[in-house]
Amino acid sequence: MAEDDIDTEEPVRPLREIVRQPAYQTAVLCAALGYGTMSLVMTATPLAMHQHAHGMADTSFVIQWHVLAMFVPSFFTGKLIDSWGSEPIMLGGALFGLLCVAINLLGTSVWHFWLALVLPGLSWNFLFIGGTTLLTQCYRSAEKARVQASNDFTVFTTVTLSSLSAGALQHRFGWETVNLGVLPLLLIVLLALLRYRLTAAGALAAEQRG
């Protein structure tokens, strides 16, 4: 009997039971907040560059490199996950996000904006792909559609709120506050990864004792 047939015959769990899994919570938090923080910084960057008297040519240059940083790593992110697992890759994504904030707080030259916007592109790639890869470990075949739908709803609601709020936050509170506002979200990602690691270690220890 094929593996898919076996999965299909397993009972379908309620969504609330699936959502309680630490792996599910970690996957969704990393994907949603990784996408949300990237969207917030990316959307606010052109406004901040304009306020600091940088021209459209410089802004276009920065955005072009940001897009490259988002998608070019996809050629090897999957191989990195196969080699090291989702968790280290997502941790790397969170650290790239923290570096982005640090560089944005250090200066407002074109090169500060350039490097700071390359980093959230990498952060998004590692957190989003790592999170969606980890999500596949949380459901059975018959549960896939509902679990993926709940993940997509959470992720893209977060992205929508980030994009819509970026301009208002930048206009009202300024570039520094926008970046400082990213820090609590990245801290949540780091705490989720730590909790997942501790839970997985505890489960492995219990299995070995059994």
Side-chain angles (χ1 to χ4, degrees):
M1 185 180 294
E3 184 178 349
D4 287 343
D5 293 334
I6 295 175
D7 289 341
T8 304
E9 292 176 0
E10 292 181 336
V12 177
R13 297 167 294 175
L15 184 59
R16 63 180 177 274
E17 180 180 339
I18 300 170
V19 168
R20 285 199 294 264
Q21 297 176 96
Y24 174 93
Q25 295 169 5
T26 303
V28 173
L29 277 172
C30 287
L33 295 181
Y35 213 143
T37 54
M38 181 278 293
S39 181
L40 179 64
V41 174
M42 177 191 69
T43 305
T45 292
L47 302 175
M49 292 187 70
H50 176 73
Q51 289 181 353
H52 287 89
H54 298 299
M56 284 300 299
D58 290 332
T59 302
S60 298
F61 166 76
V62 168
I63 295 296
Q64 286 166 0
W65 275 93
H66 169 70
V67 173
L68 288 173
M70 285 177 63
F71 295 109
V72 170
S74 299
F75 288 106
F76 55 81
T77 304
K79 293 181 180 179
L80 293 176
I81 292 173
D82 287 340
S83 298
W84 297 343
S86 297
E87 183 190 346
I89 299 306
M90 291 187 290
L91 177 60
L95 295 178
F96 282 137
L98 292 173
L99 283 173
C100 161
V101 172
I103 290 170
N104 274 330
L105 294 176
L106 286 174
T108 55
S109 71
V110 172
W111 296 106
H112 283 93
F113 282 114
W114 171 77
L115 181 56
L117 209 57
V118 165
L119 288 168
L122 296 172
S123 175
W124 170 83
N125 188 281
F126 281 17
L127 284 170
F128 185 72
I129 295 178
T132 52
T133 301
L134 179 60
L135 185 71
T136 62
Q137 302 175 19
C138 303
Y139 56 78
R140 301 163 184 166
S141 295
E143 300 165 344
K144 178 178 180 179
R146 288 189 305 150
V147 175
Q148 292 284 1
S150 68
N151 174 72
D152 290 351
F153 176 80
T154 303
V155 169
F156 291 107
T157 298
T158 303
V159 173
T160 300
L161 293 174
S162 298
S163 299
L164 292 176
S165 61
L169 290 172
Q170 170 64 29
H171 176 73
R172 185 166 184 178
F173 300 106
W175 183 232
E176 181 177 339
T177 302
V178 169
N179 282 275
L180 291 175
V182 169
L183 292 179
L185 304 178
L186 294 173
L187 179 60
I188 292 172
V189 170
L190 291 173
L191 291 174
L193 289 169
L194 176 61
R195 175 176 177 261
Y196 175 67
R197 170 172 286 191
L198 293 175
T199 302
L204 179 60
E207 182 180 343
Q208 290 173 344
R209 287 195 302 269

PDB file of all heavy atoms in Angstrom, residues 99-126:
ATOM      1  N   LEU A  99      20.314  42.207  12.379  1.00  0.00           N
ATOM      2  CA  LEU A  99      21.387  42.985  11.744  1.00  0.00           C
ATOM      3  C   LEU A  99      20.817  44.126  10.914  1.00  0.00           C
ATOM      4  O   LEU A  99      21.380  45.223  10.880  1.00  0.00           O
ATOM      5  CB  LEU A  99      22.246  42.077  10.870  1.00  0.00           C
ATOM      6  CG  LEU A  99      23.247  41.186  11.590  1.00  0.00           C
ATOM      7  CD1 LEU A  99      23.910  40.222  10.594  1.00  0.00           C
ATOM      8  CD2 LEU A  99      24.313  42.030  12.278  1.00  0.00           C
ATOM      9  N   CYS A 100      19.701  43.869  10.257  1.00  0.00           N
ATOM     10  CA  CYS A 100      19.032  44.920   9.473  1.00  0.00           C
ATOM     11  C   CYS A 100      18.684  46.104  10.358  1.00  0.00           C
ATOM     12  O   CYS A 100      18.964  47.261  10.016  1.00  0.00           O
ATOM     13  CB  CYS A 100      17.776  44.347   8.817  1.00  0.00           C
ATOM     14  SG  CYS A 100      16.580  45.586   8.275  1.00  0.00           S
ATOM     15  N   VAL A 101      18.074  45.828  11.508  1.00  0.00           N
ATOM     16  CA  VAL A 101      17.697  46.900  12.425  1.00  0.00           C
ATOM     17  C   VAL A 101      18.927  47.661  12.912  1.00  0.00           C
ATOM     18  O   VAL A 101      18.949  48.906  12.947  1.00  0.00           O
ATOM     19  CB  VAL A 101      16.918  46.324  13.629  1.00  0.00           C
ATOM     20  CG1 VAL A 101      16.686  47.406  14.683  1.00  0.00           C
ATOM     21  CG2 VAL A 101      15.587  45.742  13.163  1.00  0.00           C
ATOM     22  N   ALA A 102      19.984  46.925  13.262  1.00  0.00           N
ATOM     23  CA  ALA A 102      21.204  47.562  13.765  1.00  0.00           C
ATOM     24  C   ALA A 102      21.797  48.514  12.729  1.00  0.00           C
ATOM     25  O   ALA A 102      22.190  49.640  13.058  1.00  0.00           O
ATOM     26  CB  ALA A 102      22.222  46.495  14.150  1.00  0.00           C
ATOM     27  N   ILE A 103      21.852  48.090  11.481  1.00  0.00           N
ATOM     28  CA  ILE A 103      22.445  48.933  10.433  1.00  0.00           C
ATOM     29  C   ILE A 103      21.565  50.149  10.162  1.00  0.00           C
ATOM     30  O   ILE A 103      22.067  51.268   9.975  1.00  0.00           O
ATOM     31  CB  ILE A 103      22.670  48.105   9.162  1.00  0.00           C
ATOM     32  CG1 ILE A 103      23.794  47.093   9.412  1.00  0.00           C
ATOM     33  CG2 ILE A 103      23.020  48.996   7.973  1.00  0.00           C
ATOM     34  CD1 ILE A 103      23.948  46.061   8.342  1.00  0.00           C
ATOM     35  N   ASN A 104      20.256  49.962  10.160  1.00  0.00           N
ATOM     36  CA  ASN A 104      19.361  51.109   9.958  1.00  0.00           C
ATOM     37  C   ASN A 104      19.497  52.140  11.061  1.00  0.00           C
ATOM     38  O   ASN A 104      19.326  53.343  10.830  1.00  0.00           O
ATOM     39  CB  ASN A 104      17.907  50.635   9.864  1.00  0.00           C
ATOM     40  CG  ASN A 104      17.523  50.222   8.456  1.00  0.00           C
ATOM     41  OD1 ASN A 104      18.054  50.740   7.482  1.00  0.00           O
ATOM     42  ND2 ASN A 104      16.602  49.286   8.347  1.00  0.00           N
ATOM     43  N   LEU A 105      19.800  51.701  12.272  1.00  0.00           N
ATOM     44  CA  LEU A 105      19.956  52.626  13.389  1.00  0.00           C
ATOM     45  C   LEU A 105      21.323  53.308  13.396  1.00  0.00           C
ATOM     46  O   LEU A 105      21.509  54.323  14.078  1.00  0.00           O
ATOM     47  CB  LEU A 105      19.739  51.894  14.718  1.00  0.00           C
ATOM     48  CG  LEU A 105      18.321  51.360  14.961  1.00  0.00           C
ATOM     49  CD1 LEU A 105      18.271  50.574  16.264  1.00  0.00           C
ATOM     50  CD2 LEU A 105      17.296  52.487  14.969  1.00  0.00           C
ATOM     51  N   LEU A 106      22.280  52.754  12.634  1.00  0.00           N
ATOM     52  CA  LEU A 106      23.629  53.311  12.620  1.00  0.00           C
ATOM     53  C   LEU A 106      23.789  54.485  11.649  1.00  0.00           C
ATOM     54  O   LEU A 106      24.697  55.301  11.812  1.00  0.00           O
ATOM     55  CB  LEU A 106      24.648  52.225  12.257  1.00  0.00           C
ATOM     56  CG  LEU A 106      24.950  51.194  13.346  1.00  0.00           C
ATOM     57  CD1 LEU A 106      25.852  50.095  12.792  1.00  0.00           C
ATOM     58  CD2 LEU A 106      25.606  51.863  14.553  1.00  0.00           C
ATOM     59  N   GLY A 107      22.948  54.565  10.631  1.00  0.00           N
ATOM     60  CA  GLY A 107      23.115  55.653   9.667  1.00  0.00           C
ATOM     61  C   GLY A 107      22.053  55.632   8.599  1.00  0.00           C
ATOM     62  O   GLY A 107      21.258  54.688   8.491  1.00  0.00           O
ATOM     63  N   THR A 108      22.058  56.688   7.765  1.00  0.00           N
ATOM     64  CA  THR A 108      21.021  56.830   6.735  1.00  0.00           C
ATOM     65  C   THR A 108      21.632  57.129   5.366  1.00  0.00           C
ATOM     66  O   THR A 108      20.992  57.746   4.525  1.00  0.00           O
ATOM     67  CB  THR A 108      20.034  57.947   7.118  1.00  0.00           C
ATOM     68  OG1 THR A 108      20.765  59.168   7.351  1.00  0.00           O
ATOM     69  CG2 THR A 108      19.240  57.579   8.355  1.00  0.00           C
ATOM     70  N   SER A 109      22.870  56.707   5.154  1.00  0.00           N
ATOM     71  CA  SER A 109      23.452  56.856   3.821  1.00  0.00           C
ATOM     72  C   SER A 109      22.830  55.831   2.876  1.00  0.00           C
ATOM     73  O   SER A 109      22.138  54.897   3.317  1.00  0.00           O
ATOM     74  CB  SER A 109      24.969  56.642   3.873  1.00  0.00           C
ATOM     75  OG  SER A 109      25.263  55.272   4.099  1.00  0.00           O
ATOM     76  N   VAL A 110      23.073  55.994   1.590  1.00  0.00           N
ATOM     77  CA  VAL A 110      22.564  55.016   0.619  1.00  0.00           C
ATOM     78  C   VAL A 110      23.062  53.621   0.951  1.00  0.00           C
ATOM     79  O   VAL A 110      22.323  52.634   0.863  1.00  0.00           O
ATOM     80  CB  VAL A 110      22.984  55.403  -0.814  1.00  0.00           C
ATOM     81  CG1 VAL A 110      22.632  54.280  -1.802  1.00  0.00           C
ATOM     82  CG2 VAL A 110      22.303  56.698  -1.234  1.00  0.00           C
ATOM     83  N   TRP A 111      24.311  53.523   1.374  1.00  0.00           N
ATOM     84  CA  TRP A 111      24.891  52.200   1.649  1.00  0.00           C
ATOM     85  C   TRP A 111      24.322  51.584   2.915  1.00  0.00           C
ATOM     86  O   TRP A 111      24.210  50.352   3.020  1.00  0.00           O
ATOM     87  CB  TRP A 111      26.414  52.305   1.704  1.00  0.00           C
ATOM     88  CG  TRP A 111      26.949  52.711   0.364  1.00  0.00           C
ATOM     89  CD1 TRP A 111      27.448  53.925   0.009  1.00  0.00           C
ATOM     90  CD2 TRP A 111      26.947  51.913  -0.830  1.00  0.00           C
ATOM     91  NE1 TRP A 111      27.782  53.952  -1.319  1.00  0.00           N
ATOM     92  CE2 TRP A 111      27.483  52.723  -1.866  1.00  0.00           C
ATOM     93  CE3 TRP A 111      26.560  50.616  -1.122  1.00  0.00           C
ATOM     94  CZ2 TRP A 111      27.640  52.255  -3.168  1.00  0.00           C
ATOM     95  CZ3 TRP A 111      26.716  50.148  -2.424  1.00  0.00           C
ATOM     96  CH2 TRP A 111      27.247  50.972  -3.423  1.00  0.00           C
ATOM     97  N   HIS A 112      23.944  52.410   3.885  1.00  0.00           N
ATOM     98  CA  HIS A 112      23.224  51.883   5.041  1.00  0.00           C
ATOM     99  C   HIS A 112      21.869  51.301   4.597  1.00  0.00           C
ATOM    100  O   HIS A 112      21.508  50.183   4.980  1.00  0.00           O
ATOM    101  CB  HIS A 112      22.992  52.976   6.087  1.00  0.00           C
ATOM    102  CG  HIS A 112      24.189  53.309   6.896  1.00  0.00           C
ATOM    103  ND1 HIS A 112      25.053  54.337   6.553  1.00  0.00           N
ATOM    104  CD2 HIS A 112      24.693  52.763   8.034  1.00  0.00           C
ATOM    105  CE1 HIS A 112      26.023  54.412   7.454  1.00  0.00           C
ATOM    106  NE2 HIS A 112      25.831  53.470   8.365  1.00  0.00           N
ATOM    107  N   PHE A 113      21.126  52.076   3.801  1.00  0.00           N
ATOM    108  CA  PHE A 113      19.837  51.592   3.321  1.00  0.00           C
ATOM    109  C   PHE A 113      20.005  50.343   2.460  1.00  0.00           C
ATOM    110  O   PHE A 113      19.200  49.410   2.546  1.00  0.00           O
ATOM    111  CB  PHE A 113      19.117  52.687   2.519  1.00  0.00           C
ATOM    112  CG  PHE A 113      18.467  53.737   3.374  1.00  0.00           C
ATOM    113  CD1 PHE A 113      18.933  55.048   3.353  1.00  0.00           C
ATOM    114  CD2 PHE A 113      17.382  53.432   4.175  1.00  0.00           C
ATOM    115  CE1 PHE A 113      18.335  56.027   4.125  1.00  0.00           C
ATOM    116  CE2 PHE A 113      16.776  54.405   4.959  1.00  0.00           C
ATOM    117  CZ  PHE A 113      17.253  55.706   4.932  1.00  0.00           C
ATOM    118  N   TRP A 114      21.039  50.332   1.626  1.00  0.00           N
ATOM    119  CA  TRP A 114      21.266  49.180   0.740  1.00  0.00           C
ATOM    120  C   TRP A 114      21.501  47.903   1.531  1.00  0.00           C
ATOM    121  O   TRP A 114      20.803  46.893   1.324  1.00  0.00           O
ATOM    122  CB  TRP A 114      22.464  49.466  -0.174  1.00  0.00           C
ATOM    123  CG  TRP A 114      22.901  48.260  -0.958  1.00  0.00           C
ATOM    124  CD1 TRP A 114      22.298  47.731  -2.070  1.00  0.00           C
ATOM    125  CD2 TRP A 114      24.027  47.422  -0.685  1.00  0.00           C
ATOM    126  NE1 TRP A 114      22.972  46.615  -2.498  1.00  0.00           N
ATOM    127  CE2 TRP A 114      24.044  46.397  -1.670  1.00  0.00           C
ATOM    128  CE3 TRP A 114      25.026  47.431   0.298  1.00  0.00           C
ATOM    129  CZ2 TRP A 114      25.014  45.409  -1.705  1.00  0.00           C
ATOM    130  CZ3 TRP A 114      25.992  46.444   0.272  1.00  0.00           C
ATOM    131  CH2 TRP A 114      25.993  45.450  -0.720  1.00  0.00           C
ATOM    132  N   LEU A 115      22.476  47.923   2.428  1.00  0.00           N
ATOM    133  CA  LEU A 115      22.799  46.719   3.186  1.00  0.00           C
ATOM    134  C   LEU A 115      21.644  46.330   4.103  1.00  0.00           C
ATOM    135  O   LEU A 115      21.310  45.148   4.248  1.00  0.00           O
ATOM    136  CB  LEU A 115      24.078  46.932   3.999  1.00  0.00           C
ATOM    137  CG  LEU A 115      24.555  45.730   4.820  1.00  0.00           C
ATOM    138  CD1 LEU A 115      24.743  44.500   3.935  1.00  0.00           C
ATOM    139  CD2 LEU A 115      25.852  46.075   5.550  1.00  0.00           C
ATOM    140  N   ALA A 116      21.010  47.335   4.706  1.00  0.00           N
ATOM    141  CA  ALA A 116      19.912  47.054   5.626  1.00  0.00           C
ATOM    142  C   ALA A 116      18.709  46.455   4.906  1.00  0.00           C
ATOM    143  O   ALA A 116      17.922  45.737   5.516  1.00  0.00           O
ATOM    144  CB  ALA A 116      19.497  48.328   6.354  1.00  0.00           C
ATOM    145  N   LEU A 117      18.544  46.723   3.614  1.00  0.00           N
ATOM    146  CA  LEU A 117      17.412  46.138   2.897  1.00  0.00           C
ATOM    147  C   LEU A 117      17.780  44.825   2.215  1.00  0.00           C
ATOM    148  O   LEU A 117      16.894  44.038   1.878  1.00  0.00           O
ATOM    149  CB  LEU A 117      16.849  47.133   1.873  1.00  0.00           C
ATOM    150  CG  LEU A 117      15.347  46.965   1.579  1.00  0.00           C
ATOM    151  CD1 LEU A 117      14.531  47.066   2.865  1.00  0.00           C
ATOM    152  CD2 LEU A 117      14.870  47.973   0.560  1.00  0.00           C
ATOM    153  N   VAL A 118      19.054  44.563   2.005  1.00  0.00           N
ATOM    154  CA  VAL A 118      19.474  43.230   1.569  1.00  0.00           C
ATOM    155  C   VAL A 118      19.213  42.222   2.690  1.00  0.00           C
ATOM    156  O   VAL A 118      18.722  41.112   2.465  1.00  0.00           O
ATOM    157  CB  VAL A 118      20.964  43.227   1.166  1.00  0.00           C
ATOM    158  CG1 VAL A 118      21.508  41.794   1.074  1.00  0.00           C
ATOM    159  CG2 VAL A 118      21.148  43.930  -0.181  1.00  0.00           C
ATOM    160  N   LEU A 119      19.514  42.610   3.919  1.00  0.00           N
ATOM    161  CA  LEU A 119      19.410  41.690   5.058  1.00  0.00           C
ATOM    162  C   LEU A 119      17.972  41.211   5.325  1.00  0.00           C
ATOM    163  O   LEU A 119      17.776  40.011   5.560  1.00  0.00           O
ATOM    164  CB  LEU A 119      19.999  42.342   6.303  1.00  0.00           C
ATOM    165  CG  LEU A 119      21.530  42.461   6.282  1.00  0.00           C
ATOM    166  CD1 LEU A 119      22.012  43.371   7.405  1.00  0.00           C
ATOM    167  CD2 LEU A 119      22.170  41.079   6.394  1.00  0.00           C
ATOM    168  N   PRO A 120      16.940  42.068   5.283  1.00  0.00           N
ATOM    169  CA  PRO A 120      15.591  41.517   5.485  1.00  0.00           C
ATOM    170  C   PRO A 120      15.122  40.653   4.324  1.00  0.00           C
ATOM    171  O   PRO A 120      14.233  39.813   4.500  1.00  0.00           O
ATOM    172  CB  PRO A 120      14.705  42.754   5.649  1.00  0.00           C
ATOM    173  CG  PRO A 120      15.456  43.845   5.011  1.00  0.00           C
ATOM    174  CD  PRO A 120      16.910  43.535   5.228  1.00  0.00           C
ATOM    175  N   GLY A 121      15.710  40.852   3.143  1.00  0.00           N
ATOM    176  CA  GLY A 121      15.422  39.933   2.048  1.00  0.00           C
ATOM    177  C   GLY A 121      15.902  38.531   2.385  1.00  0.00           C
ATOM    178  O   GLY A 121      15.179  37.543   2.220  1.00  0.00           O
ATOM    179  N   LEU A 122      17.134  38.438   2.892  1.00  0.00           N
ATOM    180  CA  LEU A 122      17.667  37.145   3.332  1.00  0.00           C
ATOM    181  C   LEU A 122      16.866  36.604   4.514  1.00  0.00           C
ATOM    182  O   LEU A 122      16.587  35.405   4.599  1.00  0.00           O
ATOM    183  CB  LEU A 122      19.133  37.307   3.718  1.00  0.00           C
ATOM    184  CG  LEU A 122      20.103  37.716   2.602  1.00  0.00           C
ATOM    185  CD1 LEU A 122      21.481  38.021   3.184  1.00  0.00           C
ATOM    186  CD2 LEU A 122      20.193  36.628   1.545  1.00  0.00           C
ATOM    187  N   SER A 123      16.506  37.497   5.437  1.00  0.00           N
ATOM    188  CA  SER A 123      15.734  37.097   6.614  1.00  0.00           C
ATOM    189  C   SER A 123      14.401  36.495   6.191  1.00  0.00           C
ATOM    190  O   SER A 123      13.992  35.433   6.694  1.00  0.00           O
ATOM    191  CB  SER A 123      15.510  38.315   7.518  1.00  0.00           C
ATOM    192  OG  SER A 123      14.687  37.992   8.605  1.00  0.00           O
ATOM    193  N   TRP A 124      13.706  37.163   5.289  1.00  0.00           N
ATOM    194  CA  TRP A 124      12.430  36.645   4.789  1.00  0.00           C
ATOM    195  C   TRP A 124      12.606  35.287   4.153  1.00  0.00           C
ATOM    196  O   TRP A 124      11.822  34.350   4.406  1.00  0.00           O
ATOM    197  CB  TRP A 124      11.844  37.613   3.768  1.00  0.00           C
ATOM    198  CG  TRP A 124      10.667  37.031   3.033  1.00  0.00           C
ATOM    199  CD1 TRP A 124       9.372  37.002   3.468  1.00  0.00           C
ATOM    200  CD2 TRP A 124      10.679  36.370   1.762  1.00  0.00           C
ATOM    201  NE1 TRP A 124       8.581  36.363   2.540  1.00  0.00           N
ATOM    202  CE2 TRP A 124       9.356  35.977   1.489  1.00  0.00           C
ATOM    203  CE3 TRP A 124      11.672  36.091   0.822  1.00  0.00           C
ATOM    204  CZ2 TRP A 124       9.005  35.308   0.320  1.00  0.00           C
ATOM    205  CZ3 TRP A 124      11.321  35.413  -0.340  1.00  0.00           C
ATOM    206  CH2 TRP A 124      10.001  35.031  -0.587  1.00  0.00           C
ATOM    207  N   ASN A 125      13.615  35.135   3.317  1.00  0.00           N
ATOM    208  CA  ASN A 125      13.826  33.870   2.623  1.00  0.00           C
ATOM    209  C   ASN A 125      14.008  32.720   3.609  1.00  0.00           C
ATOM    210  O   ASN A 125      13.363  31.674   3.493  1.00  0.00           O
ATOM    211  CB  ASN A 125      15.041  33.997   1.708  1.00  0.00           C
ATOM    212  CG  ASN A 125      15.222  32.796   0.812  1.00  0.00           C
ATOM    213  OD1 ASN A 125      15.717  31.770   1.239  1.00  0.00           O
ATOM    214  ND2 ASN A 125      14.840  32.931  -0.445  1.00  0.00           N
ATOM    215  N   PHE A 126      14.864  32.913   4.590  1.00  0.00           N
ATOM    216  CA  PHE A 126      15.163  31.834   5.533  1.00  0.00           C
ATOM    217  C   PHE A 126      13.985  31.555   6.471  1.00  0.00           C
ATOM    218  O   PHE A 126      13.674  30.393   6.757  1.00  0.00           O
ATOM    219  CB  PHE A 126      16.404  32.186   6.354  1.00  0.00           C
ATOM    220  CG  PHE A 126      17.701  31.959   5.621  1.00  0.00           C
ATOM    221  CD1 PHE A 126      17.749  31.822   4.244  1.00  0.00           C
ATOM    222  CD2 PHE A 126      18.891  31.877   6.308  1.00  0.00           C
ATOM    223  CE1 PHE A 126      18.942  31.618   3.560  1.00  0.00           C
ATOM    224  CE2 PHE A 126      20.101  31.660   5.656  1.00  0.00           C
ATOM    225  CZ  PHE A 126      20.116  31.540   4.277  1.00  0.00           C
TER     226      PHE A 126
END
